[in-house]
Amino acid sequence: MIITEPKPEEEIKGYLEGFNKIFIIGCGSCATKCETGGEEQVKAMAETLRSWGKEVTGWAVPEECCDYRFLRRDVIRPHKETLEAADAVLVMACGSGVQAVAEVTGKLVVPALNTVFIGVTERLRNFHERCRACGDCLLFYTGGICPVARCAKGLLNGPCGGQANGKCEATQWQTDCAWVLIYERLKEQGRLDLFLKPRLPKDWSAWSKPRERVWR
Amino acid sequence: MAEKPVYSLFMKNLRAGKFVYTGEAEPHKTTDISDLIESFKALKGYVIAINVTDNPTAYAYISSLVASYLIQRETGIEAIYQVTCRDRNRLAITSDLLGAYALGIRNVLALTGDHPCVGDNPQAKPVFDLDSTTLLYLIRRMVDEGVDLAGNKIEHPPKFHVGIAANPNADPIEPELLKIERKVSLGAEFIQTQCIYDIEVAKAFLKEAERWKIPVLIGITPFKSVGMMKYMIQYVPGIKVPKEIQERIIEAKKRGGKEAVYEENIEIFTEMIKELKRTTRLAGCHMMAVGFEWIVPKIIERVEGGRPSYIEAL
Ligand code: SF4
Ligand code: SF4
């Protein structure tokens, strides 16, 4: 899931300066689960905008905000007039969602959230980063623990010298060192041969350009 | 088997089985390192090489390449050019290494580098395109095959001896040992460790190191003051300073102030180095006395009974 968190209200207020009629779009998928762009948060945002003296022309929570098809079905068709009437669209979804709204509606968009990472949900409001979408998954070699996302330096051959008692220097030794976790996992599985094998420099070309996949 | 080629005095002495000492120079945020150079001139004949740090603890300082060159030129002591992966990607590191060889640098220590968030520009984007292991691999390919990481041919490839760091204080120690083993399998030629105060930690590490068959220099960091000792114990994770050493330093301070603390340091590390020389296969010591380099020759003299007898020509 894509983890998002709300931007400070003051920042949003600044973006909306000069715009009076606002349409709000949330997201029925990740941002609903994060409680950052679900129906409840969208309604609360509408109240806030009104308290700033704005007119909320309408709102919608599409099944997924990052999918053009759901945007057409759940936002554009049912809310054509109120959407058109708005000076700006405030989007309570991840960065992909905000861009999808801009592309599909052609409206001026304002992001209401910060997109923070791809991660897992341990329980309500408890998320942990797990993947940086590097384009060349290494998880087989690392016992199913991602060093790209979970080691603060993204090292392929850890642990570094900053590890102490299994904790990481980059968080003042507050979080686990991913490479000690990898060591423990591989040891448990009797696969320390994988740990011992040097990983050669990663091919970042799979990651460092705009990416798209169009399957036929 | 043909003898392995030797490109530096540092390696020549190690290969000849000489017990060697290296120093550590930490150039700061400045354009003038003449004071640093002056303090290292006094170490000529005592240390066989000087490590030059690369933005230690992620502080943005004068380039370690430039400082390595100046220190080597001005002191006549070889530099061990430290390279970290924090600030430069493989392109920048490849260029710097080519430049380093052109400037006469022959020893490199391949490091990962501390995370920018512990440094003086914590907002920086961390690079870590390579890590210490893949950096080592890059250097091996440059030296052994005359190519860069992508396999592009280098005209006049560089010849370096490349070493790695190790942390014998690491807890847990097993992943650290396996990591070193990876690097040895890729062709690391020497090891310099973080500072060690507990002789048992040193002995255990040196025992493990025997199977790697490359020289190990253990890190020695004397205490400049009682305050510095307390700071290290409290803030440097993993550092173990035995009670006995702590008490000796504190006692010395009470007895005779600063001077007695220096003298006690000389005693403590002389005893430790002598004991390790006698009982292990230790190849040398890496002396990190940043800001009070003058203590280094005093310890060395007391251990060796004079200047070490280094081979002075390649
Ligand atoms: S290795 Fe790459 S693809 Fe696999 S989990 Fe990590 S970042 Fe994601
Ligand atoms: S301590 Fe562990 S997780 Fe943190 S940067 Fe070093 S290897 Fe990565």
Side-chain angles (χ1 to χ4, degrees):
Chain A
M1 174 161 86
I2 314 269
I3 312 303
T4 48
E5 62 191 8
K7 281 184 175 290
E9 279 193 359
E10 283 311 304
E11 185 181 340
I12 298 173
K13 199 173 182 179
Y15 294 148
L16 291 179
E17 215 176 303
F19 302 121
N20 286 318
K21 297 178 172 177
I22 316 291
F23 191 95
I24 309 172
I25 300 180
C27 170
S29 183
C30 302
T32 289
K33 285 192 249 168
C34 281
E35 300 177 69
T36 51
E39 197 171 314
E40 208 177 305
Q41 294 79 40
V42 167
K43 284 179 175 163
M45 180 58 81
E47 280 314 306
T48 305
L49 294 191
R50 285 187 196 110
S51 77
W52 295 343
K54 311 277 182 199
E55 180 191 334
V56 176
T57 62
W59 59 269
V61 180
E63 187 169 333
E64 279 173 18
C65 187
C66 61
D67 188 321
Y68 293 8
R69 299 162 300 174
F70 292 129
L71 282 177
R72 290 195 194 100
R73 188 192 72 187
D74 300 342
V75 183
I76 296 190
R77 279 179 217 136
H79 300 279
K80 199 167 187 317
E81 267 123 58
T82 47
L83 184 63
E84 251 161 38
D87 308 327
V89 180
L90 183 65
V91 186
M92 301 174 75
C94 74
S96 289
V98 177
Q99 293 176 65
V101 169
E103 285 155 21
V104 171
T105 66
K107 302 288 287 187
L108 191 145
V109 292
V110 174
L113 307 181
N114 286 325
T115 305
V116 283
F117 54 79
I118 304 176
V120 295
T121 309
E122 187 186 341
R123 52 179 184 274
L124 206 60
R125 293 175 199 169
N126 215 310
F127 310 109
H128 307 280
E129 183 171 21
R130 288 294 182 265
C131 176
R132 292 260 169 112
C134 75
D136 180 17
C137 194
L138 301 164
L139 286 172
F140 176 76
Y141 302 105
T142 54
I145 295 167
C146 172
V148 180
R150 297 177 68 183
C151 161
K153 301 175 186 169
L155 306 180
L156 300 187
N157 295 283
C160 75
Q163 176 277 119
N165 299 316
K167 302 288 176 186
C168 174
E169 76 174 12
T171 57
Q172 293 292 311
W173 300 280
Q174 297 303 306
T175 59
D176 291 332
C177 166
W179 273 101
V180 171
L181 295 179
I182 292 169
Y183 165 77
E184 283 164 357
R185 176 79 59 81
L186 288 173
K187 187 176 175 191
E188 211 175 274
Q189 297 175 345
R191 296 306 315 267
L192 281 181
D193 57 312
L194 290 176
F195 188 88
L196 200 52
K197 206 170 121 65
R199 303 261 117 245
L200 296 185
K202 197 163 167 52
D203 178 359
W204 285 110
S205 66
W207 176 84
S208 55
K209 298 188 282 287
R211 292 177 283 185
E212 54 185 19
R213 295 289 183 273
V214 180
W215 286 306
R216 286 172 208 289
Chain B
M1 203 177 88
E3 215 168 284
K4 280 197 241 153
V6 169
Y7 314 120
S8 73
L9 275 180
F10 170 61
M11 191 47 74
K12 183 155 191 166
N13 278 275
L14 281 174
R15 293 256 172 87
K18 298 277 182 192
F19 192 85
V20 305
Y21 296 87
T22 51
E24 174 142 309
E26 190 179 299
H28 286 155
K29 202 185 292 288
T30 175
T31 55
D32 181 356
I33 60 165
S34 46
D35 287 352
L36 189 66
I37 288 169
E38 275 317 304
S39 58
F40 274 93
K41 280 184 178 163
L43 269 61
K44 173 105 178 137
Y46 292 96
V47 297
I48 190 71
I50 303 167
N51 286 53
V52 182
T53 55
D54 178 10
N55 293 350
T57 64
Y59 279 57
Y61 291 156
I62 186 173
S63 143
S64 68
L65 170 55
V66 172
S68 294
Y69 167 70
L70 291 174
I71 288 171
Q72 184 163 293
R73 191 186 69 183
E74 300 297 319
T75 64
I77 308 172
E78 277 182 3
I80 298 177
Y81 167 40
Q82 297 197 357
V83 180
T84 71
C85 303
R86 175 193 50 241
D87 312 320
R88 289 177 295 269
N89 69 5
R90 64 189 79 179
L91 271 78
I93 292 177
T94 303
S95 322
D96 282 355
L97 287 166
L98 294 175
Y101 186 78
L103 291 175
I105 288 159
R106 297 294 178 263
N107 309 297
V108 181
L109 190 71
L111 302 169
T112 294
D114 298 311
H115 197 282
C117 69
V118 304
D120 71 348
N121 280 267
Q123 303 82 359
K125 183 177 184 186
V127 178
F128 301 113
D129 177 24
L130 303 179
D131 58 27
S132 53
T133 309
T134 48
L135 168 57
L136 168 76
Y137 175 72
L138 162 65
I139 299 170
R140 282 264 64 99
R141 291 204 70 182
M142 292 175 85
V143 173
D144 300 339
E145 298 169 50
V147 296
D148 67 11
L149 269 182
N152 303 304
K153 199 170 168 305
I154 300 167
E155 277 174 56
H156 309 291
K159 299 294 176 193
F160 294 119
H161 293 296
V162 54
I164 56 173
N167 183 10
N169 303 303
D171 182 14
I173 188 76
E174 301 83 16
E176 175 75 15
L177 296 175
L178 293 175
K179 179 184 72 174
I180 298 167
E181 196 150 329
R182 270 186 214 136
K183 296 188 197 180
V184 172
S185 75
L186 283 178
E189 292 170 274
F190 64 92
I191 295 176
Q192 290 176 305
T193 80
Q194 308 285 10
C195 54
I196 308 180
Y197 296 100
D198 186 336
I199 194 158
E200 297 311 319
V201 168
K203 284 183 177 172
F205 182 79
L206 290 163
K207 187 104 205 81
E208 292 286 346
E210 280 177 20
R211 65 189 143 111
W212 301 322
K213 303 199 165 39
I214 61 171
V216 177
L217 282 71
I218 64 155
I220 301 283
T221 299
F223 299 115
K224 200 172 179 183
S225 62
V226 173
M228 175 209 165
M229 177 174 78
K230 293 197 166 149
Y231 179 89
M232 292 202 51
I233 295 168
Q234 195 171 353
Y235 294 107
V236 184
I239 292 286
K240 298 175 195 98
V241 183
K243 272 264 148 355
E244 190 222 324
I245 293 183
Q246 296 187 34
E247 278 159 14
R248 282 175 68 177
I249 297 283
I250 292 168
E251 264 313 300
K253 167 84 193 210
K254 281 188 200 145
R255 194 173 60 234
K258 230 167 47 187
E259 291 308 316
V261 169
Y262 293 145
E263 178 55 32
E264 198 61 40
N265 265 292
I266 297 171
E267 262 315 300
I268 288 170
F269 294 106
T270 301
E271 284 166 25
M272 181 166 158
I273 298 169
K274 276 187 159 173
E275 163 83 4
L276 290 172
K277 280 183 81 169
R278 204 167 51 76
T279 57
T280 71
R281 293 198 203 156
L282 183 62
C285 292
H286 178 49
M287 313 295 283
M288 295 174 275
V290 171
F292 65 134
E293 288 78 15
W294 54 265
I295 201 167
V296 170
K298 294 195 187 305
I299 297 174
I300 297 175
E301 280 204 344
R302 196 145 331 155
V303 177
E304 304 292 329
R307 287 188 180 215
S309 64
Y310 292 130
I311 303 169
E312 306 275 2
L314 261 180

